[in-house]
């Protein structure tokens, strides 16, 4: 018997109903059936095609386990439950789509589906239980929805073609052996709320190059990366935490550890961490003069410049952010400037030295220096930015120039500009009328016995 046609009057299929019927190739489940019972079609080794009715709600344990010829099955949106071992050993199935109503991928549900290449999980899945996709050797990628908060032991173990995995923010624990022997796994992104990594979690992931531990990590198990001889571990937490032989990659070697700036000494002094070589990362820095801003007018002399930081492409973004935050306290940016002749780019006096003014860090990552109290009116200045990061040699930006006009220092809305005799300044328009509040334009400035025409810009 190769084809089974069930009449529409059927509403129930019992346990073991077609268990071991090794000649059946196709089966169509009527609309009235709501449950595919335990072991219903287990070991139907020739079964190639299954049509499920649109009222099926549950596919129970072992329902299609051992159906080695089954290449595809469309699970209707009505399904809310898939039992343990439901498709275990369906070694020909290539694609699977989990409906929105399913919240749990049960234990062993798709274990050893060795031809499975594509999995689509519904947006309501919360748990991927133990061994759920273990042994799916053709699976190269899987998108885990943000709804997932739990991933069980061995859930993706022996998925030897899996190359990349991104874990959602809700996952706080990577259990023991979760990704063991995922030998093609190159990239894994842990959610920023992960606090625990279990024993052997990435054991046998021989292609793994980067493992980033977010700052929330507080517990990591033993022998996590055995066999990952090329892995670099980036630790975002500035404070060492306990671990047990976690980063051993072979009998004689440990993975190198990279920590945020300023934490190296603490990690080198901490138990077990000192088994690895502990490194700090200091980026290459440069002054971005193409995006500088210069605001020099009658009431301002403000220079602003972005500072670029370049890291190796392999360094993960979250570590870079943590490292930059640590380096901000160890970075000094100054403007060095001196007066030069207006008609040529040479110092007025060969003995004139550069004046140095500290810059402040802005929220957008740029640096600003206010030179108003250091410069003269109607003058030209040359300047350059200088950055000192950590203990590295200072980096200088390109030389640039600015000129000043008439300068007035400002406090609130009150303009103050006194001469050597402490005489206050008065302004008049060109008709000779005194003005108390002036805008940009041409005015007569009177200060004691000194009277001259000025342009306020």
């Amino acid at each position: 018997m190769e084809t089974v046609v069930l009449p529409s009057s059927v509403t129930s299929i019992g346990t073991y109903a077609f268990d071991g019927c090794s000649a059946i190739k196709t089966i169509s489940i009527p609309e009235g059936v709501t449950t595919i019972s335990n072991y219903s079609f287990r070991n139907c080794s020739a079964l190639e095609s299954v049509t499920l009715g649109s009222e099926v709600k549950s596919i129970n344990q072992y329902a299609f386990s051992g159906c080695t010829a089954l290449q595809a099955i469309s699970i209707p949106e009505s399904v809310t439950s898939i039992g343990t071992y439901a498709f275990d050993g369906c070694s020909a199935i290539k694609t699977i789509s989990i409906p929105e109503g399913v919240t749990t991928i049960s234990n062993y549900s798709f274990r050893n589906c060795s031809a499975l290449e594509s999995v689509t999980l519904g947006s309501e899945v919360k748990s991927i239980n133990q061994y759920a996709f273990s042994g799916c050797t053709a699976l190269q990628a899987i998108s885990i929805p943000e709804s997932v908060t739990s991933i069980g032991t061995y859930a993706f173990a022996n998925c030897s073609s899996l190359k990349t995995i991104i874990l959602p923010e809700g996952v706080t624990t990577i259990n023991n052996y979760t990704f063991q022997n995922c030998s093609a796994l190159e990239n894994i992104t842990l959610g920023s709320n992960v606090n625990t990594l279990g024993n052997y979690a990435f054991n046998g992931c021989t292609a793994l190059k980067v493992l980033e531990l977010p700052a929330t990590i507080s517990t990591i198990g033993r022998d996590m990366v055995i066999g990952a001889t090329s892995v670099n571990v980036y630790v975002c937490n500035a404070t060492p935490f306990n671990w047990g032989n976690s980063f051993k990659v072979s009998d004689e070697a440990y993975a190198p550890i990279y920590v945020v700036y300023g934490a190296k000494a603490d990690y080198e002094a901490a138990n077990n961490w000192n088994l690895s070589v502990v490194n700090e990362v200091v980026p290459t820095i440069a002054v971005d003069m193409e995006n500088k801003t210069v605001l020099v007018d009658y009431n301002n002399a403000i220079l602003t410049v972005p500072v670029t930081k370049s890291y190796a492409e392999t360094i993960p973004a979250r570590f870079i952010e943590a490292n930059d935050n640590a380096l901000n306290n160890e970075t000094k940016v100054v403007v060095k400037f001196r007066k030069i002749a207006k008609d040529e780019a040479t110092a007025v006096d060969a003995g004139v030295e550069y004046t140095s003014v500290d810059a402040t860090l802005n929220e957008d990552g740029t640096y600003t220096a206010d030179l108003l109290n250091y410069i003269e009116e109607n003058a030209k200045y040359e300047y350059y930015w200088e950055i000192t990061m950590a203990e590295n040699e200072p980096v200088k930006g390109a030389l640039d120039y600015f000129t000043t006009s008439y300068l007035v220092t400002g406090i609130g809305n009150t303009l103050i500009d006194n001469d050597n005799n402490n005489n206050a300044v008065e302004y008049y328009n060109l008709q000779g009328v005194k003005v108390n509040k002036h805008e940009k334009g041409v005015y007569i400035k009177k200060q004691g016995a000194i009277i001259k025409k000025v342009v306020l810009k």
Side-chain angles (χ1 to χ4, degrees), residues 310-332:
S310 301
Y311 289 86
E313 290 183 1
T314 55
I315 299 178
R318 195 161 36 197
F319 179 84
I320 289 175
E321 181 180 359
N323 201 55
D324 281 350
N325 289 336
L327 279 168
N328 283 342
N329 296 327
E330 302 293 332
T331 301
K332 183 177 182 180

Side-chain angles (χ1 to χ4, degrees), residues 223 225-229 245 247-256 274-277:
D223 295 330
V225 289
I226 291 290
T229 55
N245 221 31
F247 302 117
K248 188 175 183 179
V249 296
S250 68
D251 290 340
E252 299 178 351
Y254 287 78
N274 52 17
L275 297 173
S276 294
V277 176

Side-chain angles (χ1 to χ4, degrees), residues 132-149:
F133 295 98
S134 175
C136 293
T137 55
L139 187 63
Q140 294 187 20
I142 182 170
S143 178
I144 300 178
E146 286 297 318
S147 54
V148 171
T149 58

Side-chain angles (χ1 to χ4, degrees), residues 133-432:
F133 295 98
S134 175
C136 293
T137 55
L139 187 63
Q140 294 187 20
I142 182 170
S143 178
I144 300 178
E146 286 297 318
S147 54
V148 171
T149 58
S150 173
I151 300 177
T153 57
Y154 295 95
F156 295 94
N158 301 310
C159 291
S160 55
S161 296
L162 190 63
K163 291 184 177 181
T164 184
I165 197 88
I166 299 175
L167 299 181
E169 295 297 308
V171 175
T172 59
T173 298
I174 309 301
N175 283 301
N176 301 342
Y177 306 95
T178 300
F179 297 97
Q180 180 179 253
N181 293 331
C182 291
S183 55
L185 187 64
E186 298 176 356
N187 299 296
I188 180 162
T189 302
L190 303 178
S192 57
N193 294 311
V194 171
N195 55 50
T196 302
L197 299 179
N199 299 328
Y200 308 97
F202 306 102
N203 179 33
C205 295
T206 54
L208 190 62
K209 298 295 190 295
V210 173
L211 178 61
E212 181 194 39
L213 306 183
T216 50
I217 292 282
S218 59
T219 303
I220 48 180
R222 62 176 294 105
D223 295 330
M224 282 204 317
V225 289
I226 291 290
T229 55
S230 298
V231 71
N232 293 317
V233 179
Y234 293 88
V235 184
C236 296
N237 197 330
T239 304
F241 47 91
N242 293 330
W243 64 282
N245 221 31
S246 300
F247 302 117
K248 188 175 183 179
V249 296
S250 68
D251 290 340
E252 299 178 351
Y254 287 78
I257 305 295
Y258 294 85
V259 298
V260 296
Y261 187 82
K264 180 178 179 180
D266 289 340
Y267 275 88
E268 287 180 330
N271 288 336
N272 291 324
W273 290 99
N274 52 17
L275 297 173
S276 294
V277 176
V278 179
N279 307 275
E280 287 180 330
V281 178
V282 177
T284 301
I285 55 176
V287 179
D288 183 8
M289 289 297 287
E290 290 187 3
N291 292 298
K292 72 179 188 300
T293 59
V294 177
L295 175 60
V296 178
D297 59 22
Y298 73 94
N299 199 36
N300 294 284
I302 298 174
L303 310 183
T304 300
V305 71
V307 172
T308 62
K309 301 173 186 175
S310 301
Y311 289 86
E313 290 183 1
T314 55
I315 299 178
R318 195 161 36 197
F319 179 84
I320 289 175
E321 181 180 359
N323 201 55
D324 281 350
N325 289 336
L327 279 168
N328 283 342
N329 296 327
E330 302 293 332
T331 301
K332 183 177 182 180
V333 179
V334 299
V335 170
K336 293 192 173 182
F337 62 96
R338 65 180 180 180
K339 183 180 177 181
I340 62 174
K342 269 192 167 185
D343 57 348
E344 57 183 336
T346 57
V348 173
D349 183 341
V352 174
E353 296 183 354
Y354 285 97
T355 299
S356 181
V357 173
D358 291 344
T360 57
L361 176 63
N362 302 311
E363 290 185 0
D364 63 359
T366 60
Y367 285 84
T368 293
D370 189 345
L371 311 185
L372 186 61
N373 294 327
Y374 302 90
I375 58 178
E376 301 174 7
E377 66 182 31
N378 296 315
K380 184 176 182 179
Y381 289 84
E382 67 177 13
Y383 74 97
Y384 66 89
W385 292 88
E386 183 177 90
I387 308 167
T388 305
M389 179 173 284
E391 299 176 358
N392 289 1
E393 290 295 317
V395 173
K396 295 181 180 180
L399 199 65
D400 199 15
Y401 307 90
F402 66 86
T403 58
T404 63
S405 57
Y406 179 74
L407 297 174
V408 180
T409 59
I411 301 178
N413 292 321
T414 304
L415 298 175
I416 302 172
D417 189 3
N418 297 324
D419 61 10
N420 292 334
N421 295 320
N422 207 33
N423 289 311
V425 173
E426 295 177 341
Y427 289 96
Y428 298 83
N429 61 26
L430 297 182
Q431 287 73 41

